[in-house]
């Protein structure tokens, strides 16, 4: 079955870059997503990448995809205290984000 | 657009009882998905509805059921509640004919089963 794994915790200093990693097992994954969850809030889509891309950049966010190793990463440049949250990677077999399989989440703590 | 609204925000039920959770989606959002998020874990897909019919289901037993209504609202029903059903339940919706990814998530209903 499908499996998506992430490290549990990451702590960085304000202004540094954060890199959150994710591995997945489903070869048919078409789209891979990064979501942010703040306390008491639902999931906010940050960015997504199609499986035939290697990299996608969106302002402070850079997504890298190594399809051979089934490894996905999210880099947040100039991390701010407001970036403190739980970050989930997720995969879907279609481009609409249906029936997502999520990882367990990485808690990012940004210290001033 | 008014987003996705879920009610209630918190709920406590006793083991064996039944519960109904509600979701109100944006106008035009004819696809709705429900997810269960246990404490400290990622969300797990329960099922998806499109035009009032279930068209996808995750690994959840039949005591988890749903309804979708023409007014873009939906329900998640859980019968014979078990302690392990304690979780945050998330509703997400989108327009099926949208060219782009367009799921909007609600803030969830926190269900505690005692």
């Amino acid at each position: 079955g499908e499996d998506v794994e992430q490290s549990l915790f990451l702590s960085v200093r304000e202004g540094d870059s954060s890199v959150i990693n994710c591995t997945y097992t489903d070869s048919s994954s078409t789209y891979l997503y990064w979501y942010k969850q703040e306390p008491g809030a639902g999931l906010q889509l940050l960015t997504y990448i199609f499986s035939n891309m290697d990299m996608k950049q969106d302002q402070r966010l850079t997504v890298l995809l190594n399809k051979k190793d089934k490894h996905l990463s999210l880099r947040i440049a100039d991390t701010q205290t407001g970036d403190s949250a739980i970050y989930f990677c997720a995969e879907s077999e279609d481009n609409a984000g249906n029936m997502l399989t999520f990882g367990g989440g990485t808690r990012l703590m940004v210290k001033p | 657009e008014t987003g996705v609204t879920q009610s209630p925000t918190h709920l406590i039920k006793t083991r064996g009882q039944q519960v109904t959770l509600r979701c109100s989606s944006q106008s035009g959002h004819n696809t709705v998905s429900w997810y269960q998020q246990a404490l400290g874990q990622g969300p797990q897909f329960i099922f998806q509805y499109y035009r009032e019919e279930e068209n996808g289901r995750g690994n959840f037993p039949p005591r988890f059921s749903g309804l979708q209504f023409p007014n873009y609202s939906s329900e998640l029903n859980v019968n014979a509640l078990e302690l392990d059903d304690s979780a945050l339940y998330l509703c997400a919706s989108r327009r099926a004919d949208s060219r782009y990814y367009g799921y909007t998530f609600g803030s969830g209903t926190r269900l505690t089963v005692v």
Side-chain angles (χ1 to χ4, degrees), chain A residues 8 33 35 37 40-45 48 88 95-105, chain B residues 31 35 37 40-43 45 48 55-57 88 90 94 99-103 105-107:
Chain A
L8 287 176
Y33 303 84
Y35 284 86
Q37 187 176 41
L43 295 169
Q44 175 193 353
L45 176 68
Y48 61 90
F88 293 95
N95 65 353
N98 293 314
M99 295 180 270
L100 293 163
T101 299
F102 283 88
Chain B
T31 302
Y35 290 83
Q37 186 179 14
Q41 297 181 25
F45 173 72
Q48 175 175 295
N55 71 342
R57 191 174 185 94
L88 179 69
L90 296 165
R94 70 182 291 271
R99 278 192 176 185
Y100 307 103
Y101 174 88
Y103 269 105
F105 277 80
S107 298

Side-chain angles (χ1 to χ4, degrees), chain B residues 83-96:
Chain B
L83 298 179
D84 284 349
D85 295 333
S86 295
L88 179 69
Y89 288 86
L90 296 165
C91 166
S93 66
R94 70 182 291 271
R95 289 180 64 100

Side-chain angles (χ1 to χ4, degrees), chain B residues 22-112:
Chain B
R22 293 181 172 82
C23 174
S24 177
S25 300
Q26 297 170 212
S27 179
H29 279 207
N30 51 12
T31 302
V32 65
S33 297
W34 286 88
Y35 290 83
Q36 179 196 66
Q37 186 179 14
L39 196 62
Q41 297 181 25
Q44 282 196 292
F45 173 72
I46 303 174
F47 46 56
Q48 175 175 295
Y49 277 76
Y50 171 63
R51 290 186 175 177
E52 301 161 47
E53 292 199 4
E54 185 182 299
N55 71 342
R57 191 174 185 94
N59 189 26
F60 280 80
R63 59 189 185 84
F64 285 78
S65 63
L67 286 171
Q68 185 186 25
F69 302 101
N71 66 351
Y72 307 111
S73 66
S74 59
E75 291 180 354
L76 164 65
N77 299 289
V78 187
N79 293 323
L81 283 166
E82 300 176 1
L83 298 179
D84 284 349
D85 295 333
S86 295
L88 179 69
Y89 288 86
L90 296 165
C91 166
S93 66
R94 70 182 291 271
R95 289 180 64 100
D97 60 353
S98 173
R99 278 192 176 185
Y100 307 103
Y101 174 88
Y103 269 105
T104 302
F105 277 80
S107 298
T109 294
R110 172 77 59 191
L111 172 65
T112 302

Side-chain angles (χ1 to χ4, degrees), chain A residues 17-31:
Chain A
S17 291
S18 307
V19 179
I20 302 171
N21 295 302
C22 171
T23 58
Y24 61 98
T25 59
D26 189 357
S27 299
S28 61
S29 295
T30 304
Y31 273 72

Side-chain angles (χ1 to χ4, degrees), chain A residues 53-100:
Chain A
M53 298 169 65
D54 297 323
M55 186 183 84
K56 180 179 180 181
Q57 188 155 3
D58 185 1
Q59 299 181 343
R60 292 192 298 126
L61 304 179
T62 303
V63 179
L64 294 178
L65 174 61
N66 182 329
K67 194 174 180 182
K68 174 176 169 289
D69 293 338
K70 297 190 179 69
H71 182 267
L72 181 73
S73 68
L74 174 69
R75 178 177 180 270
I76 305 172
D78 187 25
T79 313
Q80 303 297 307
T81 55
D83 294 324
S84 293
I86 301 176
Y87 290 79
F88 293 95
C89 67
E91 63 88 17
S92 174
E93 292 183 13
D94 66 31
N95 65 353
N98 293 314
M99 295 180 270
L100 293 163

